[in-house]
Amino acid sequence: MKPIICLDMDAVIADLFTEWFARYNRDYGDDLTVDRAHTWDAPSYVKKECGHKILDYLHEPGLFLSLNPLPDAIDVIGRLTENYNVFLVTAPPSLPSLAEKVQWVEIHLPFLSLDRLIFTHRKDMVRGDLLFDDAPNNLLGFLETGRKAIAMDYPYNRHIDCHRVGSWREFENRLPEWLER
Protein backbone atom coordinates (compact mmCIF):
# COMPACT_ATOMS: atom_id res chain seq x y z
CA MET A 1 0.00 0.00 0.00
CA LYS A 2 1.29 3.45 -0.91
CA PRO A 3 2.10 5.79 2.00
CA ILE A 4 -0.50 8.49 2.70
CA ILE A 5 0.93 12.01 2.46
CA CYS A 6 -1.15 14.89 3.85
CA LEU A 7 -0.33 18.34 2.46
CA ASP A 8 -1.49 21.65 3.88
CA MET A 9 -2.56 24.32 1.40
CA ASP A 10 -2.04 27.79 2.88
CA ALA A 11 1.62 28.84 3.13
CA VAL A 12 2.68 25.34 2.06
CA ILE A 13 1.20 24.89 -1.43
CA ALA A 14 -0.31 28.35 -1.92
CA ASP A 15 1.58 31.56 -1.13
CA LEU A 16 -0.77 33.02 1.48
CA PHE A 17 1.56 35.59 3.01
CA THR A 18 2.34 37.64 -0.09
CA GLU A 19 -1.31 38.47 -0.79
CA TRP A 20 -2.50 38.60 2.83
CA PHE A 21 0.29 40.91 3.96
CA ALA A 22 0.04 43.04 0.77
CA ARG A 23 -3.59 43.82 1.65
CA TYR A 24 -2.64 44.72 5.21
CA ASN A 25 0.41 46.78 4.10
CA ARG A 26 -1.74 48.70 1.59
CA ASP A 27 -4.36 49.56 4.21
CA TYR A 28 -2.02 50.31 7.11
CA GLY A 29 1.07 51.73 5.40
CA ASP A 30 3.31 48.99 6.75
CA ASP A 31 6.00 46.76 5.22
CA LEU A 32 5.13 43.48 6.95
CA THR A 33 6.80 40.35 5.62
CA VAL A 34 6.76 36.78 6.89
CA ASP A 35 10.24 37.34 8.33
CA ARG A 36 8.61 39.46 11.07
CA ALA A 37 6.10 36.72 11.90
CA HIS A 38 7.87 35.13 14.86
CA THR A 39 4.67 33.84 16.42
CA TRP A 40 1.43 32.25 15.20
CA ASP A 41 -0.42 35.20 16.81
CA ALA A 42 -0.74 37.53 13.80
CA PRO A 43 -2.27 40.45 15.76
CA SER A 44 0.93 40.67 17.82
CA TYR A 45 3.13 41.74 14.89
CA VAL A 46 0.89 44.22 13.09
CA LYS A 47 0.26 47.87 13.86
CA LYS A 48 -1.79 48.41 17.01
CA GLU A 49 -4.59 50.13 15.08
CA CYS A 50 -5.02 46.95 13.04
CA GLY A 51 -4.72 44.36 15.78
CA HIS A 52 -7.18 41.48 15.34
CA LYS A 53 -8.48 43.04 12.10
CA ILE A 54 -5.49 41.39 10.38
CA LEU A 55 -7.54 38.19 10.56
CA ASP A 56 -10.47 39.82 8.72
CA TYR A 57 -8.46 39.68 5.49
CA LEU A 58 -8.70 35.88 5.67
CA HIS A 59 -12.46 36.23 5.22
CA GLU A 60 -12.34 38.62 2.25
CA PRO A 61 -13.93 37.22 -0.90
CA GLY A 62 -11.32 36.41 -3.50
CA LEU A 63 -8.32 36.16 -1.17
CA PHE A 64 -7.77 32.41 -1.42
CA LEU A 65 -8.61 32.28 -5.11
CA SER A 66 -5.98 34.97 -5.82
CA LEU A 67 -3.07 33.08 -4.23
CA ASN A 68 -0.20 31.89 -6.38
CA PRO A 69 1.36 28.47 -5.90
CA LEU A 70 4.69 28.41 -4.10
CA PRO A 71 7.66 27.64 -6.37
CA ASP A 72 7.74 24.03 -7.62
CA ALA A 73 4.70 23.01 -5.55
CA ILE A 74 2.50 22.01 -8.48
CA ASP A 75 5.20 20.02 -10.30
CA VAL A 76 6.34 18.22 -7.16
CA ILE A 77 2.78 17.33 -6.10
CA GLY A 78 2.18 15.95 -9.58
CA ARG A 79 5.20 13.68 -9.22
CA LEU A 80 4.26 12.68 -5.67
CA THR A 81 0.89 11.39 -6.85
CA GLU A 82 2.73 8.71 -8.86
CA ASN A 83 4.19 7.04 -5.75
CA TYR A 84 2.04 8.16 -2.82
CA ASN A 85 -1.58 8.61 -1.82
CA VAL A 86 -1.66 12.41 -1.70
CA PHE A 87 -4.37 14.30 0.18
CA LEU A 88 -4.73 18.04 0.65
CA VAL A 89 -5.74 18.75 4.25
CA THR A 90 -6.71 22.35 4.88
CA ALA A 91 -8.54 24.40 7.49
CA PRO A 92 -10.77 27.02 5.87
CA PRO A 93 -11.49 30.11 8.00
CA SER A 94 -15.02 30.39 6.54
CA LEU A 95 -17.49 28.69 4.20
CA PRO A 96 -16.78 31.13 1.33
CA SER A 97 -13.05 30.38 1.63
CA LEU A 98 -13.85 26.66 1.47
CA ALA A 99 -15.44 27.17 -1.94
CA GLU A 100 -12.47 29.26 -3.09
CA LYS A 101 -10.04 26.55 -2.01
CA VAL A 102 -11.96 23.99 -4.07
CA GLN A 103 -11.78 26.31 -7.08
CA TRP A 104 -8.07 26.90 -6.47
CA VAL A 105 -7.42 23.16 -6.54
CA GLU A 106 -9.47 22.77 -9.73
CA ILE A 107 -7.38 25.51 -11.39
CA HIS A 108 -3.88 24.71 -10.09
CA LEU A 109 -4.04 20.98 -9.31
CA PRO A 110 -6.48 19.60 -11.91
CA PHE A 111 -4.84 16.17 -11.68
CA LEU A 112 -6.12 15.79 -8.09
CA SER A 113 -9.72 14.68 -7.75
CA LEU A 114 -11.86 16.43 -5.17
CA ASP A 115 -12.00 13.25 -3.08
CA ARG A 116 -8.35 14.07 -2.26
CA LEU A 117 -9.39 17.30 -0.50
CA ILE A 118 -10.10 17.19 3.25
CA PHE A 119 -11.36 20.21 5.18
CA THR A 120 -10.70 20.12 8.92
CA HIS A 121 -9.24 22.08 11.78
CA ARG A 122 -8.24 18.79 13.44
CA LYS A 123 -5.52 17.48 11.17
CA ASP A 124 -4.35 15.11 13.91
CA MET A 125 -7.60 13.18 13.32
CA VAL A 126 -6.84 12.55 9.64
CA ARG A 127 -5.35 9.18 8.75
CA GLY A 128 -1.99 9.66 7.13
CA ASP A 129 1.64 8.64 7.42
CA LEU A 130 3.10 12.13 7.13
CA LEU A 131 1.85 15.72 7.34
CA PHE A 132 3.56 18.62 5.54
CA ASP A 133 2.29 21.79 7.22
CA ASP A 134 3.34 25.14 8.65
CA ALA A 135 0.99 25.69 11.60
CA PRO A 136 2.55 24.89 14.98
CA ASN A 137 -0.67 23.37 16.37
CA ASN A 138 -1.04 21.04 13.38
CA LEU A 139 2.58 19.94 13.48
CA LEU A 140 2.44 19.27 17.22
CA GLY A 141 -0.92 17.50 16.99
CA PHE A 142 0.34 15.14 14.30
CA LEU A 143 3.61 14.48 16.15
CA GLU A 144 1.72 13.69 19.35
CA THR A 145 -0.01 10.82 17.53
CA GLY A 146 3.39 9.26 16.82
CA ARG A 147 3.35 10.12 13.13
CA LYS A 148 5.75 12.23 11.09
CA ALA A 149 5.26 15.95 10.59
CA ILE A 150 7.42 18.08 8.33
CA ALA A 151 7.40 21.86 8.69
CA MET A 152 7.55 24.31 5.83
CA ASP A 153 10.09 26.50 7.61
CA TYR A 154 8.85 29.89 8.83
CA PRO A 155 9.94 32.00 11.80
CA TYR A 156 6.68 31.27 13.65
CA ASN A 157 7.18 27.48 13.68
CA ARG A 158 10.88 27.17 14.45
CA HIS A 159 10.21 26.25 18.08
CA ILE A 160 8.62 22.97 16.93
CA ASP A 161 11.04 20.05 17.11
CA CYS A 162 10.50 18.34 13.76
CA HIS A 163 12.08 18.03 10.34
CA ARG A 164 11.73 21.15 8.23
CA VAL A 165 12.31 22.28 4.68
CA GLY A 166 12.50 25.59 2.88
CA SER A 167 11.25 24.46 -0.51
CA TRP A 168 9.19 21.90 -2.36
CA ARG A 169 12.25 20.43 -4.06
CA GLU A 170 13.87 19.81 -0.69
CA PHE A 171 10.65 18.17 0.54
CA GLU A 172 10.54 15.91 -2.53
CA ASN A 173 14.20 14.91 -2.17
CA ARG A 174 13.98 14.10 1.54
CA LEU A 175 10.55 12.45 1.59
CA PRO A 176 11.77 8.88 0.91
CA GLU A 177 14.26 9.11 3.80
CA TRP A 178 11.54 10.31 6.22
CA LEU A 179 9.15 7.55 5.21
CA GLU A 180 11.80 4.83 5.67
CA ARG A 181 12.36 5.72 9.33
Side-chain angles (χ1 to χ4, degrees), residues 10 55-56 58-65 90-104 117 119-121:
D10 307 325
L55 303 174
D56 292 346
L58 298 174
H59 300 277
E60 284 186 356
L63 173 74
F64 289 95
L65 203 49
T90 187
S94 64
L95 285 177
S97 68
L98 186 147
E100 288 188 18
K101 288 179 177 222
V102 169
Q103 287 179 291
W104 195 95
L117 189 52
F119 293 100
T120 184
H121 290 267

Side-chain angles (χ1 to χ4, degrees), residues 54-96:
I54 184 72
L55 303 174
D56 292 346
Y57 293 104
L58 298 174
H59 300 277
E60 284 186 356
L63 173 74
F64 289 95
L65 203 49
S66 71
L67 303 181
N68 290 313
L70 284 171
D72 302 313
I74 304 305
D75 292 337
V76 170
I77 294 168
R79 288 190 296 272
L80 292 179
T81 61
E82 296 170 14
N83 299 308
Y84 306 103
N85 282 312
V86 174
F87 288 86
L88 305 185
V89 183
T90 187
S94 64
L95 285 177

Side-chain angles (χ1 to χ4, degrees), residues 6-40:
C6 300
L7 306 173
D8 179 37
M9 285 183 68
D10 307 325
V12 174
I13 299 173
D15 181 5
L16 174 63
F17 293 112
T18 298
E19 183 61 27
W20 182 20
F21 290 174
R23 291 174 186 216
Y24 158 78
N25 288 335
R26 175 196 66 217
D27 293 346
Y28 289 91
D30 203 351
D31 61 353
L32 179 62
T33 65
V34 73
D35 295 329
R36 283 189 13 213
H38 289 277
T39 174
W40 188 246

Side-chain angles (χ1 to χ4, degrees), residues 53-161:
K53 290 185 277 188
I54 184 72
L55 303 174
D56 292 346
Y57 293 104
L58 298 174
H59 300 277
E60 284 186 356
L63 173 74
F64 289 95
L65 203 49
S66 71
L67 303 181
N68 290 313
L70 284 171
D72 302 313
I74 304 305
D75 292 337
V76 170
I77 294 168
R79 288 190 296 272
L80 292 179
T81 61
E82 296 170 14
N83 299 308
Y84 306 103
N85 282 312
V86 174
F87 288 86
L88 305 185
V89 183
T90 187
S94 64
L95 285 177
S97 68
L98 186 147
E100 288 188 18
K101 288 179 177 222
V102 169
Q103 287 179 291
W104 195 95
V105 170
E106 289 173 334
I107 292 166
H108 297 282
L109 297 164
F111 51 86
L112 281 182
S113 59
L114 291 182
D115 66 347
R116 297 292 175 153
L117 189 52
I118 299 170
F119 293 100
T120 184
H121 290 267
R122 289 291 312 272
K123 296 182 183 182
D124 60 310
M125 300 298 290
V126 175
R127 193 176 126 228
D129 298 300
L130 181 143
L131 173 68
F132 185 26
D133 208 303
D134 68 304
N137 61 311
N138 295 329
L139 295 165
L140 284 172
F142 219 77
L143 289 168
E144 287 171 1
T145 68
R147 294 174 291 167
K148 296 173 175 101
I150 311 303
M152 180 63 90
D153 187 44
Y154 289 106
Y156 57 81
N157 67 24
R158 291 195 179 130
H159 64 285
I160 306 299
D161 185 21

